[in-house]
Amino acid sequence: MTTAAAGSPRTYQVRTYGCQMNVHDSERISGLLEDAGYVRAAEADEQPDVVVFNTCAVRENADNRLYGNLGHLRPVKAKHPGMQIAVGGCLAQKDRGDIVRKAPWVDVVFGTHNIGSLPALLDRARHNAAAEVEILESLEVFPSTLPTRRESTYAGWVSISVGCNNTCTFCIVPSLRGKEKDRRPGDILSEVRALVDSGVLEVTLLGQNVNSYGVEFGDRYAFGKLLRACGDIDGLERVRFTSPHPKDFTDDVIAAMAETPNVCHSLHMPLQSGSDDVLRAMRRSYRSERYLGIIEKVRAAMPDAAITTDIIVGFPGETEADFARTLDVVREGRFSSAFTFQYSKRPGTPAATMDGQLPKQVVQERYERLIACVEEITWAENKKLVGETVEVLVAVGEGRKDERTGRMSGRARDGRLVHFATGDLAGRIRPGDIVHTTVTYAAPHHLNADGAPLAHRRTRAGDAAEAGQVPRTPGVLLGLPTIGAPAVPPAPVGGCAAP
Ligand code: SF4
């Protein structure tokens, strides 16, 4: 690989926008670049040799933000000969060559289906002194074949599928990420084992629609079986998944969650709207009754389950009565948390050209009422936990005020955020360790535990965190599948739902 100065490797920085799947893709981008000899730039380094933007086309104003950030980098690049800028992810898949037309100082544009090409594209652009734009129309190799530099010592993402066969009218994902491709269960479990072998305690199985996992190889119960198989992996303490889809949710998944001890009793299931008319217009083919029915069964099987959701307010044509129905479902659903979004047009989606687009102030006003309703419910749900003992997996970066308050933070088994006092154990608890503590206070979005911890377990993940090591999963050693074709570059996933 070319070096910045004789003998010194080129440095890189990845800037990530969007959903968890993009975050995981960025781990792959980092793994690829490090395999190619690049080293990660220090956080404060304002002039890395390579800056990669992993973009999202789902969030509002994604393009303005990208072009604004590219604009800021232009003078930096001018002063730093040899610097390269690469743009990947959903927005790159969507805008393609337009990116280098609008920002000719960009060196590489790569799409969602060919992350693996990035090192070669950077080399080629440097050699030819010209921009390289490479976008593939479909996935050739499952993205998990890529080497991955994991960000966490204690928790890891594992893709089970990419793409989506649904056609929600507000969502750009199907056109940018393609049809669902399922990874073979044996390969998924190998990756999970590799993570656990390196000390990881918690794994989140990722897919746009985990409940349709198996559609490609004809097993509609494949996801429940996968959860049960995760239960057989020694050392794996927590299994989570995202995102389920109410349309495809089957009862065997609830049974698998309830009967597999390491599967966490937390469910993040996008509702989007409580109104059946709006769900129809969104082309979400379940109705509120089915949604609430699933929640009821989950609670019957796991009374301690924490259920969270995504809700879009102000979808085209949404009436006050439709919105009231969403509030009803929020009250009936008793969510422990909800991600709420104001609908806004995404070019390229069917909803963007629908009649009945609502004025901003109507959307804003409903949004504020929705947040007030959600917070009332989540606060009441959290208060029920005061006095309870929770098991916390200690995390990095979850408590902004920790330094000031002397607490540490992490997630309970049900996914709730817990800020806890460290008592006599201050300085001995590391990220990745497990702490048991008693909840003393509840807020709408977190719990506090201000007594001394009841127990502290040092873990291998904590040892790794203390030693500054992060796991790497070398995709090729896992015997991962190629999809259809040649052993060339790979691809990623996008985020279900978030409009
Ligand atoms: S919102 Fe989720 S289920 Fe619907 S099309 Fe987008 S990715 Fe698929």
Side-chain angles (χ1 to χ4, degrees), residues 164 166-168 170-174 208-209 245 272 284 495-497:
C164 182
N166 292 318
T167 52
C168 302
F170 55 81
C171 183
I172 193 83
V173 164
Q208 298 291 357
N209 174 1
H245 196 301
Q272 306 306 12
R284 307 261 306 168
C496 178

Side-chain angles (χ1 to χ4, degrees), residues 42 66 97 112 129 199 259 274 290 313 338 351 355 388 395 398 468 494:
L66 172 67
T112 54
E259 291 163 17
R290 169 163 172 82
V313 69
D355 292 340
E388 298 283 320
E398 294 265 41

Side-chain angles (χ1 to χ4, degrees), residues 362-376:
V362 172
V363 181
Q364 180 70 32
E365 189 267 341
R366 286 184 192 164
Y367 178 70
E368 286 165 17
R369 278 156 62 203
L370 175 64
I371 290 199
C373 176
V374 164
E375 292 206 342
E376 188 188 315

